[in-house]
Every structure is written in C-alpha cells, then in structure tokens.
Amino acid sequence: MNKWLMMLLSITFLMRKMVENDIIIKTSTAGGYMKFLFAPDSFKGTMSAININRLLRHATHRVFGSVEYIDVTMADGGEGTVETVTRNLRGSIMYVPTHGPYMKRREAKFGLVNQKEAILEVAEAVGLALVPQEKRDPRYTSSYGVGELIAHILDDGIRDIKIAIGGTSTNDGGIGAMQALGVRFLDKDGNEVKGIGDSLKDIVTIDTSRMNPLVQEAKFTIMCDVDNPLCGPNGATMCYGKQKGGTVEVLEELERGMENYRQVLLKTFGKDVNEIPGSGAAGGIGAAFSLFLIGEMKSGIEVVMDLMNFDQMLDGVDYVISGEGRADAQTLHGKVLYGIGRHCKERNIPVIAICGCLGDGHEALYEHGITKFYATTDKELCEKEILANANDNFMSTAVRMFEDIKNGKIS
C-alpha cells in the first residue's frame, strides 16, 4: 500500500480515537493554545445544559475558529441531578416500581454510576410536582416511596448511595421512608401508625429491630444545602409546609406532631435532631436519614463535583464558562456557580457566568471566584422572556463574551 495512503489512514484513525475520547485539541486564532471548560447548569424551563453547551461550541467556532474545550453539564443536588451525573459518568438510568406521595403505584428512577455506586433524588418518588395544587395536604402525603427506592438499590447490591433531598410534597419526618425499610413507629397501644405527617403526634416508641439489614452495610451521603432544624420557626413544617398545601391551622397541628417525633427520637437515639443542620430538609427526611441511615450531610454541588472529578478537569484550562437561569443572593447557598467559583478560585482560573438574568445580590459571587457576569436578558424582562428567542439571545451573548476574551478584556 502506498506509504502516503498508510499515513493518511493512520492520521484518520488517530483523529477518530481522539473524538471518541472527547479530546479536541486545536489552536486558537490568538496564536497560542487556549483551553475552555464549559460547565453550565440548565436554565430551568428555558434551556437544557446540553443545549447551552452546543451553543457555546458554535460561539467559540464563530469567534476563534477552533479551540480546545471540554464540555460537561452540571447540577447542584436539586432537580436533574440524577440525569446530569449519570450522563456525565456514562452510567445507566434505572427505573423501579415505587409508591407516590398518596401511595399510588408509580415508577421512579435512580442513576447507576457503576456497579457499587448509585445516586437518587427523593423528589423523583415524592416530589411536590407530583401533586396537583388543589390536592396538596402535608398531613396525608408519605415518603414511603423513597424508602422503596433505597431498598431496590440495596437489593441490587449497591452499597454507596448518594441521595439528593429537597422538593418533596411530604412533612412526615421521613417515617414513611423508614417504614419501607422495616422500621416500626408505634402508638400508645403498640399499633403501627401510618407513615404520614398526621401520625407524628401519635408516635410513642420506635422499633428498629426489623430494619433492612442491608442498611448497615451501606454508606449514605445526603446531598443537602439547607441548614433548617427539624422543629421551630425555621423548621421543616413552618418554613416549607405552606408551599406543600398547609394552612395556618394545619401547620400548627403538624408542628406539634413534629415536636413529639423529635422527643421520641431523642429518647430512642439519645440525640436531639434539632442540633443537626439540615434535619428539617425535605419535610424532616433529613432527620430520619441522619439517625436511621447514619447519613453524612454534604453540599450537593460538592458531591456532584467530587463524583465528576471536576478538579482534574481544570488541568490546563484557561477559562471556565458556566451559568444558570438566574444569579442572585440565593446562588451563594450551594448553587452551581458558587461551587465552581470556589474551586476555580483556588486554581486562579477565571470563571465567566452567562445567566438568563442577574438578580439582587449576585455581586457577592465576585468574592467567590466569579470573574465576570453576562446576562442574556434585561433584569426587567427576565420573567417575560419569550422561549422562542432564548437560543438567539444566548448565542449573541456568548459571541460577545468570547470576543471580549479574544480582545483581552477578560483575564
């Protein structure tokens, strides 16, 4: 075979292998080598992170011609975390039968990252979005389906389980979930109570002797970015119960039940759950996971970044491009931009954030590693932005950002 043909075939094979392994190395028009890491969160209800990365690739090609880049999608432990992490790590999405908030049969998913590690969201089984507004009542919703989901994962031989909590329709202190794992909550007559919020006031004793023995073999990491206690004005009921359908009277009733539950937990475990930051998360599921599962509370974005080996991705990177739908004071509480900014600040790598809009307090993120913000819409138009224009608005903003980089306006 002609030696030139052999050389061409070798080069073609090498390039194919590089593409298969997501290695794209090209020279920027600036004359040196420039490497980007694209790591956005989705713009909730507007654009997926996958689509955002597609637009960023097009924008870089338009401005630079060709550069080196890595693109991943991010999540902070909230909605979409399972799909984001599983996709990035080339894992598998698994579906299993569970029960929803009102104990109707439904399928729920979890991410199988490898043969020993899984990730799940409690909202997948008992999320607030699963209950129509007119049917929401935190007295009667149950977290039972969450326990079923955990049991399925344990039965599959998985012993390292990451659980993203939040966004639930429940206020049952996690007793429903624990019942699905074999724990019994008994009233004064020794009868087992229903795993719902309305039963918290009736609990007198807790029997863990029949708990699923596989729980003791597993390590549970609880992805939580709130520090609410179980009880009190900032607790599970009073802070989040209203959005779950609770009236003032209902919340007062549930709070009395939650306080009773707290005292029974203290008697059973010798520990006051109100001293555990995040025990009030997800309607009190945080308390149950901390005590019954001996789960370790960690920041959701930190768990995600650790799973994805984010710090290794930063090797040789000149700029990180991230963003989310809205940046404001709440972003400081464990959101994607906050996590990425902190990690990049340690490496002196500039982070540029493209957001749908910028709200009050976003400036505080400059102290946490964000170099510059770009907004795709005016603040006044943020809530009224027409979906049909979202791609065009993002693309024009991204091109402007890359032109600023090319012209040395960002460093």
Side-chain angles (χ1 to χ4, degrees):
M1 185 179 293
N2 185 288
K3 66 177 183 179
W4 295 109
L5 180 58
M6 286 289 292
M7 184 180 299
L8 179 61
L9 290 173
S10 297
I11 293 173
T12 302
F13 175 78
L14 178 60
M15 291 178 66
R16 184 182 297 116
K17 296 304 290 182
M18 291 170 68
V19 170
E20 287 175 355
N21 289 281
D22 295 326
I23 301 172
I24 304 174
I25 303 176
K26 297 179 180 179
T27 307
S28 75
T29 56
Y33 287 97
M34 187 173 292
K35 182 177 180 179
F36 292 99
L37 170 59
F38 303 151
D41 195 357
S42 63
F43 285 21
K44 299 294 188 295
T46 306
M47 288 192 296
S48 70
I50 292 177
N51 185 42
I52 290 171
N53 276 340
R54 179 183 64 83
L55 294 171
L56 287 172
R57 292 194 297 269
H58 289 327
T60 56
H61 294 156
R62 180 180 298 183
V63 175
F64 290 102
S66 51
V67 294
E68 180 185 357
Y69 62 81
I70 301 170
D71 60 10
V72 295
T73 56
M74 299 298 295
D76 57 18
E79 179 185 356
T81 295
V82 166
E83 291 184 349
T84 295
V85 171
T86 306
R87 179 176 58 248
N88 282 326
L89 298 180
R90 293 181 171 85
S92 302
I93 297 292
M94 312 296 289
Y95 290 86
V96 296
T98 63
H99 287 85
Y102 283 113
M103 297 301 290
K104 291 184 177 180
R105 300 292 299 181
R106 61 172 274 105
E107 280 195 333
K109 67 176 179 288
F110 69 91
L112 186 61
V113 177
N114 52 52
Q115 296 306 308
K116 297 181 180 180
E117 197 168 13
I119 183 168
L120 67 96
E121 299 171 30
V122 296
E124 177 64 25
V126 296
L128 187 61
L130 299 177
V131 183
Q133 185 79 36
E134 67 276 8
K135 294 184 178 181
R136 294 177 182 176
D137 190 332
R139 291 175 295 181
Y140 305 119
T141 49
S142 174
S143 61
Y144 192 88
V146 177
E148 289 181 302
L149 193 50
I150 294 171
H152 279 294
I153 294 172
L154 291 171
D155 288 342
D156 286 343
I158 308 301
R159 297 295 180 266
D160 190 344
I161 303 176
K162 311 291 194 296
I163 307 177
I165 64 175
T168 71
S169 59
T170 59
N171 198 80
D172 68 351
I175 66 172
M178 294 305 102
Q179 284 181 332
L181 291 171
V183 178
R184 301 172 71 232
F185 298 88
L186 310 174
D187 64 16
K188 61 182 177 59
D189 297 319
N191 298 317
E192 190 167 3
V193 304
K194 291 183 178 180
I196 57 178
D198 191 52
S199 298
L200 293 173
K201 65 183 185 299
D202 300 320
I203 299 172
V204 174
T205 58
I206 299 173
D207 177 12
T208 61
S209 64
R210 303 180 189 179
M211 176 181 268
N212 188 329
L214 299 180
V215 168
Q216 305 302 319
E217 301 175 9
K219 172 188 175 184
F220 296 91
T221 302
I222 314 306
M223 304 166 67
C224 178
D225 287 292
V226 300
D227 57 6
N228 303 80
L230 183 65
C231 301
N234 293 317
T237 304
M238 293 305 182
C239 194
Y240 302 108
K242 183 178 179 180
Q243 69 191 45
K244 299 177 183 184
T247 63
V248 173
E249 294 77 13
V250 165
L251 296 184
E252 290 176 351
E253 178 185 344
L254 284 171
E255 178 67 4
R256 287 192 292 271
M258 196 68 83
E259 181 60 40
N260 175 66
Y261 176 51
R262 172 190 172 191
Q263 295 305 320
V264 177
L265 289 173
L266 176 60
K267 181 175 66 175
T268 304
F269 293 96
K271 188 166 188 176
D272 183 358
V273 289
N274 253 31
E275 297 177 358
I276 302 174
S279 60
I285 287 178
F289 284 0
S290 296
L291 294 183
F292 293 96
L293 304 185
I294 318 179
E296 179 186 7
M297 293 276 194
K298 296 186 70 174
S299 164
I301 183 60
E302 290 298 327
V303 173
V304 170
M305 295 174 81
D306 183 57
L307 280 169
M308 293 171 54
N309 294 315
F310 185 84
D311 288 342
Q312 293 183 22
M313 295 183 194
L314 295 175
D315 291 344
V317 166
D318 297 295
Y319 293 91
V320 173
I321 313 299
S322 187
E324 52 191 56
R326 179 183 177 89
D328 55 27
Q330 290 299 311
T331 309
L332 292 166
H333 299 285
K335 300 297 184 182
V336 165
L337 285 177
Y338 176 73
I340 288 179
R342 287 180 63 249
H343 281 247
C344 291
K345 186 175 183 179
E346 295 175 358
R347 303 275 291 268
N348 294 315
I349 299 173
V351 179
I352 305 170
I354 301 181
C355 301
C357 62
L358 303 176
D360 294 338
H362 77 274
E363 300 90 349
L365 287 160
Y366 289 127
E367 297 297 319
H368 298 280
I370 305 301
T371 306
K372 188 174 178 64
F373 283 98
Y374 289 82
T376 64
T377 62
D378 293 332
K379 183 177 180 181
E380 293 76 13
L381 301 175
C382 185
E383 300 300 328
K384 300 178 181 179
E385 180 62 22
I386 300 173
L387 294 179
N389 294 331
N391 281 5
D392 290 341
N393 289 339
F394 187 94
M395 186 66 177
S396 62
T397 304
V399 167
R400 177 161 53 90
M401 174 198 67
F402 284 123
E403 286 176 343
D404 286 347
I405 292 174
K406 182 178 179 181
N407 294 326
K409 295 182 179 179
I410 306 175
S411 60

